[in-house]
Amino acid sequence: MLSNENAYYLLQEIIALYPKVETELHHRNPFELLIAVILSAQTTDQGVNKVTPALFRDYPTPEALAQAHPKDLEPYLHTIGLYKNKAKYIQQTAQQIVTRFNGKVPSNRKNLESLSGVGRKTASVVLSIAFDIPAFAVDTHVQRVCKHHAIVPKDATVLQVEQRVTSLLPPTQWRQAHQALVRFGRYICTARQPHCFDYPQLFTLPLKQEEDQLPHL
């Protein structure tokens, strides 16, 4: 595993590749972002963006979505994975927002994670993007990059990845670090045939220490 100094350097270089990148999920407000992130589980952002325009056109508010039956929502979602379960989750989430939070998406982790279909990753995305509250979300792309580049051990858990990155970076960088790592993992450090070595600056680490183990492709 990389030393703290080298891991910090590597994270900064990845962030520098994407200094202003934002989520690829289309949304106009916290409610739309929350629903889009729930729908994005095991589905590409592009796939979600294809179904949300019609969904948000017909169900633009938590109140409207709360009144729908999950079966009514399935035709909007049938092209994405797990669409039947997701139809139930987003309807229940909308209902909970209306009945428990006065129709407003909550802006704290505890309340967000109390909603149906919302786990730590989804809550972190909503906190950081919708409310600009420091949080670092770990998805499959973030995990792959951090493990492949020895920022964390190969057997690190999701929480351990989060703890490692947030211990290295100031809270002001957590949002951008997440977005940069996602984009880097999605298009460069891919699951198959990664081409990370097209970016030599990532491997010109400032400190060479015995515990550092660089990835071999």
Side-chain angles (χ1 to χ4, degrees):
M1 188 172 75
L2 293 180
S3 66
N4 288 345
E5 293 84 357
N6 282 344
Y8 174 82
Y9 169 86
L10 182 57
L11 288 169
Q12 293 297 339
E13 289 297 319
I14 293 174
I15 292 171
L17 292 173
Y18 306 97
K20 296 181 180 179
V21 71
E22 293 290 347
T23 179
E24 293 184 303
L25 289 171
H26 298 165
H27 66 284
R28 296 170 295 186
N29 53 57
F31 170 67
E32 290 187 359
L33 176 64
L34 172 61
I35 297 302
V37 177
I38 293 173
L39 295 178
S40 71
Q42 299 185 39
T43 303
T44 65
D45 287 359
Q46 290 81 1
V48 174
N49 290 338
K50 290 178 180 178
V51 305
T52 49
L55 178 69
F56 294 150
R57 178 197 65 214
D58 295 344
Y59 302 96
T61 64
E63 290 79 7
L65 190 58
Q67 293 175 7
H69 190 280
K71 287 290 184 183
D72 298 330
L73 304 175
E74 290 179 7
Y76 296 87
L77 311 178
H78 74 278
T79 60
I80 65 176
L82 306 174
Y83 72 94
K84 291 186 178 181
N85 285 336
K86 290 176 181 178
K88 295 177 183 177
Y89 285 145
I90 64 173
Q91 191 275 336
Q92 291 172 357
T93 290
Q95 197 170 57
Q96 292 160 355
I97 290 172
V98 171
T99 58
R100 290 160 45 192
F101 303 111
N102 299 314
K104 302 293 184 182
V105 175
S107 59
N108 65 77
R109 182 177 297 280
K110 180 180 178 181
N111 288 340
L112 277 170
E113 291 187 15
S114 74
L115 299 172
S116 296
V118 177
R120 186 171 184 84
K121 184 206 79 172
T122 297
S124 293
V125 172
V126 174
L127 288 171
S128 65
I129 296 176
F131 299 109
D132 200 25
I133 295 173
F136 181 76
V138 178
D139 65 4
T140 55
H141 298 297
V142 174
Q143 287 188 72
R144 182 171 61 256
V145 173
C146 288
K147 291 180 180 182
H148 183 74
H149 288 274
I151 295 171
V152 298
K154 294 290 187 183
D155 59 352
T157 65
V158 170
L159 186 58
Q160 287 171 333
V161 173
E162 178 184 337
Q163 291 171 337
R164 171 70 162 158
V165 174
T166 55
S167 72
L168 294 169
L169 300 177
T172 54
Q173 283 194 305
W174 292 355
R175 171 177 172 169
Q176 203 57 39
H178 165 73
Q179 296 298 330
L181 287 165
V182 167
R183 199 64 59 92
F184 186 72
R186 185 172 288 160
Y187 300 112
I188 297 172
C189 188
T190 51
R192 295 182 180 180
Q193 297 183 328
H195 50 103
C196 312
F197 281 104
D198 290 344
Y199 298 82
Q201 69 271 32
L202 302 180
F203 304 97
T204 310
L205 300 179
L207 301 173
K208 302 296 184 184
Q209 298 184 6
E210 291 183 359
E211 68 268 27
D212 284 4
Q213 298 176 358
L214 298 180
H216 297 284
L217 297 181

